């Protein structure tokens, strides 16, 4: 057993183009990275989703005054790189003494929280446009039915329009989740140890060029695979009425 | 404000790098996209499989990972090959070229999907009509296929281009002196990071608005002959 392990180690470090044994020895680093990546992904999706629903309703129903503001916000967020948005929040805000003296400084000086804020804003803007399209595509008949049943506007949105829109938005939202996963690697540029941050730390520690990045790439492919599967299952369940016989 | 004026030549140089990088990358992406689309539409199973693998990998792996892998890994790989074969001595990968290769490679995958979809939208009868009037393959391509390919691919192309421009910001991570890198350096030197990062944001916003309006005008030009149903 000992000699087998030893020969695997020797093969890994001397013959194989990738030192996979070294990667396995540092699994706790990558595990920590994976936890941070998933935490940033899930929390930003929740915060962004909560922000996206009112934005989408404002846009779809063209609420006066608020609609142009929402559109401006969405255009600005979607028209500029997330990396720079994160730099503005993390490095930029510290320029102002008022920010450094405020209570929010506890959060704004932490790269992890800044990354979460930037990702939430980003995914909110993209998700809002997806939801807006889905709300605008609500069949006229469904809206008429809510009026005929005497529902108030709020009740109609809560019971009929939003649930039906969420279902229609599901395939596009699945893409947005994967897209958001990809953008979380930007956290590594402000020293957060996410999957890519772990890969960069690992490569620097052992002076390697590709082992860490390839490991990171494989981890991301695995996560994307799982997300795709989950969304396929959800679509099959929630869009069952649309499946052709 | 006087700081911004003092650093403006430095910032403008950064904008130049960003624009040049975007244009070179989009050229590579279009070339790879056309190749990828041709492979996906071809009869050869191998070509289809390789093109499919290409799109799947790019969609699965974040762009920054691909970029770092190509930049650091590519450099080591090139030098290992050089040392093994003795064909070349130590070379250092240029950040600009590494950036163009990485971004072109990533967006080539998205472009291939755009072009494939566009090609499939061309009504078959049009191509058959071209053949029936005796057009050569070249004439058929330039007179019938290309104008419609452009029309159907333009909305997707616009999307890809807007995303590509924003993705170029990532090259600052490998040390290419684009608007983000120079803005960051200026912000650090003057202790006004917010001012300079905001300028970088506005530069991207202006580039986005310019391309958005320009490409939409082009879309109208290419859809002149189309009567919209709704």
């Amino acid at each position: 057993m000992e000699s087998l392990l030893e020969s695997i180690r020797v093969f890994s470090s001397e013959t194989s183009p990738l030192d996979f044994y070294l990667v396995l020895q540092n699994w706790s680093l990558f595990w920590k990275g994976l936890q941070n990546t998933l935490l940033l992904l899930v929390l930003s999706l929740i915060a962004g989703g909560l922000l996206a629903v009112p934005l989408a309703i404002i846009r779809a129903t063209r609420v006066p005054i608020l609609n142009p503001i929402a559109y401006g916000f969405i255009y600005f967020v979607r028209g500029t790189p997330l990396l720079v948005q994160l730099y503005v929040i993390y490095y930029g805000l510290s320029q102002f003494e008022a920010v450094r003296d405020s209570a929010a400084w506890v959060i704004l000086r932490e790269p992890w929280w800044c990354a979460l804020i930037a990702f939430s804003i980003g995914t909110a803007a993209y998700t809002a446009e997806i939801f807006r399209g889905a709300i605008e595509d609500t069949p006229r008949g469904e809206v008429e039915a809510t009026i005929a049943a005497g529902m108030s506007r709020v009740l109609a949105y809560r019971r009929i329009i939003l649930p039906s829109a969420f279902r229609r938005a599901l395939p596009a939202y699945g893409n947005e989740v994967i897209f958001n996963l990809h953008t979380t690697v930007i956290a590594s540029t402000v020293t957060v140890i996410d999957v890519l941050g772990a890969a960069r730390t690992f490569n620097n520690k052992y002076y390697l060029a590709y082992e860490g990045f390839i490991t990171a790439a494989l981890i991301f492919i695995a996560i994307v695979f799982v997300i795709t599967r989950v969304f396929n299952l959800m679509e099959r369940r929630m869009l069952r009425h649309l499946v052709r016989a | 404000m006087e700081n911004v004026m003092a650093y403006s030549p430095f910032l403008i140089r950064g904008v130049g790098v960003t624009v040049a990088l975007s244009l070179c990358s989009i050229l590579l992406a279009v070339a790879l996209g056309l190749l990828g689309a041709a492979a996906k539409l071809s009869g050869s199973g191998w070509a289809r499989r390789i093109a499919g693998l290409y799109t799947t990998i790019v969609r699965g792996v974040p762009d920054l990972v691909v970029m770092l892998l190509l930049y650091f890994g590519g450099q080591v790989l090139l030098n290992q090959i050089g040392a093994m074969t003795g064909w070349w001595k130590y070379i250092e990968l240029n950040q600009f070229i590494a950036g163009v290769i990485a971004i072109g490679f990533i967006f080539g995958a998205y472009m291939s999907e755009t072009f494939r979809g566009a090609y499939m939208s061309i009504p078959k009868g049009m191509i058959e009509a071209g053949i029936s009037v005796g057009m050569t393959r070249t004439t058929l391509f330039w007179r019938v296929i290309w104008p419609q390919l452009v029309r159907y691919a333009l909305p997707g192309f616009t999307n890809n281009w807007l995303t590509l421009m924003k993705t170029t910001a990532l090259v600052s991570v490998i040390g290419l002196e684009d608007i983000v890198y120079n803005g960051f350096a200026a912000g650090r030197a003057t202790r006004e990071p917010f001012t300079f990062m905001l300028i970088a944001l506005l530069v991207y916003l202006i580039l986005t608005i310019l391309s958005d309006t320009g490409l939409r005008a082009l879309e109208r030009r290419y859809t002149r002959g189309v009567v919209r149903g709704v």
Side-chain angles (χ1 to χ4, degrees), chain A residues 36-244:
Chain A
N36 263 329
T37 291
L38 292 179
L39 208 59
L40 281 172
L41 173 70
V42 171
L43 292 180
S44 67
L45 284 176
I46 294 172
L50 289 176
L51 199 61
V53 175
L55 278 174
I57 296 176
I58 288 170
R59 295 271 295 125
T61 55
R62 297 188 173 74
V63 179
I65 307 167
L66 289 180
N67 183 32
I69 297 174
Y71 182 66
F73 167 77
I74 291 170
Y75 197 91
F76 182 78
V77 173
R78 299 207 308 173
T80 53
L82 189 82
L83 178 76
V84 188
Q85 294 166 10
L86 178 56
Y87 281 4
V88 168
I89 297 173
Y90 180 57
Y91 297 109
L93 288 180
S94 64
Q95 182 179 325
F96 306 106
E97 212 165 306
V99 175
R100 289 201 303 271
D101 292 338
S102 75
W105 183 238
V106 192
I107 285 176
L108 289 175
R109 70 172 177 211
E110 294 295 334
W112 195 92
W113 283 100
C114 289
L116 181 63
I117 294 170
F119 300 156
S120 305
I121 293 175
T123 191
Y126 285 94
T127 312
E129 282 301 279
I130 295 172
F131 285 169
R132 175 185 68 93
I135 293 173
E136 284 176 353
D137 284 344
T138 308
R140 186 73 207 142
E142 285 185 20
V143 182
E144 280 166 1
T146 64
I147 300 170
M151 285 186 183
S152 68
R153 289 258 289 176
V154 178
L155 191 65
Y157 264 89
R158 192 159 60 83
R159 288 252 181 96
I160 309 294
I161 298 171
L162 288 182
S164 134
F166 287 149
R167 289 177 181 208
R168 269 191 308 275
L170 206 55
Y173 186 66
N175 282 335
E176 165 56 24
V177 171
I178 291 173
F179 181 66
N180 197 30
L181 169 73
H182 283 184
T183 58
T184 59
V185 297
I186 288 181
S188 71
T189 62
V190 291
T191 70
V192 172
I193 300 290
D194 69 330
V195 171
L196 182 57
R200 291 170 84 171
T201 313
F202 176 78
N203 278 1
N204 287 339
K205 189 171 159 194
Y206 295 101
Y207 206 65
L208 294 168
Y210 32 74
E211 269 87 347
F213 296 139
I214 289 182
T215 310
L218 292 175
I219 293 175
F220 280 111
I221 289 178
I223 306 175
V224 168
F225 181 77
V226 172
I227 294 176
T228 317
R229 265 299 163 86
V230 168
F231 270 88
N232 277 345
L233 282 176
M234 268 164 50
E235 276 173 39
R236 214 177 298 164
R237 235 184 99 80
M238 295 178 145
L239 302 176
R240 194 180 286 156
H241 58 292
L242 296 179
V243 175
R244 287 192 204 156

Side-chain angles (χ1 to χ4, degrees), chain B residues 28-38 54 107-109 111-113 115-116:
Chain B
L28 180 62
V30 167
L32 285 175
L34 285 172
L35 264 178
Y54 170 42
F107 283 86
M111 284 294 179
S112 76
E113 282 298 290
F115 289 138
R116 188 181 68 98

Side-chain angles (χ1 to χ4, degrees), chain A residues 71 75-85 87-89 91-96 126 178-179 181-183 185-186 188-189 196 200 203 208-214 216-218 220-222 224, chain B residues 56-65 68-69 72-74 76-77 80 110 162-163 165-167 169-173 180 184 188 191-198 200-202 204-205 208-209 212:
Chain A
Y71 182 66
Y75 197 91
F76 182 78
V77 173
R78 299 207 308 173
T80 53
L82 189 82
L83 178 76
V84 188
Q85 294 166 10
Y87 281 4
V88 168
I89 297 173
Y91 297 109
L93 288 180
S94 64
Q95 182 179 325
F96 306 106
Y126 285 94
I178 291 173
F179 181 66
L181 169 73
H182 283 184
T183 58
V185 297
I186 288 181
S188 71
T189 62
L196 182 57
R200 291 170 84 171
N203 278 1
L208 294 168
Y210 32 74
E211 269 87 347
F213 296 139
I214 289 182
L218 292 175
F220 280 111
I221 289 178
V224 168
Chain B
T56 316
I57 288 178
V58 170
R59 280 198 178 156
V61 184
D63 18 24
L64 188 56
V65 179
L68 293 175
L69 190 59
F72 291 111
V76 168
L77 194 68
Q80 278 173 346
Y110 294 111
L162 294 177
T163 319
M165 249 187 336
K166 291 187 290 160
T167 303
L170 296 179
V171 292
S172 61
V173 177
V180 181
F184 189 75
R188 175 164 280 185
R191 296 177 158 271
E192 287 179 19
F194 187 82
T195 319
F196 282 95
M197 285 290 99
L198 197 66
L201 269 188
L202 291 178
Y204 279 103
L205 196 64
T208 300
I209 293 172
D212 215 6

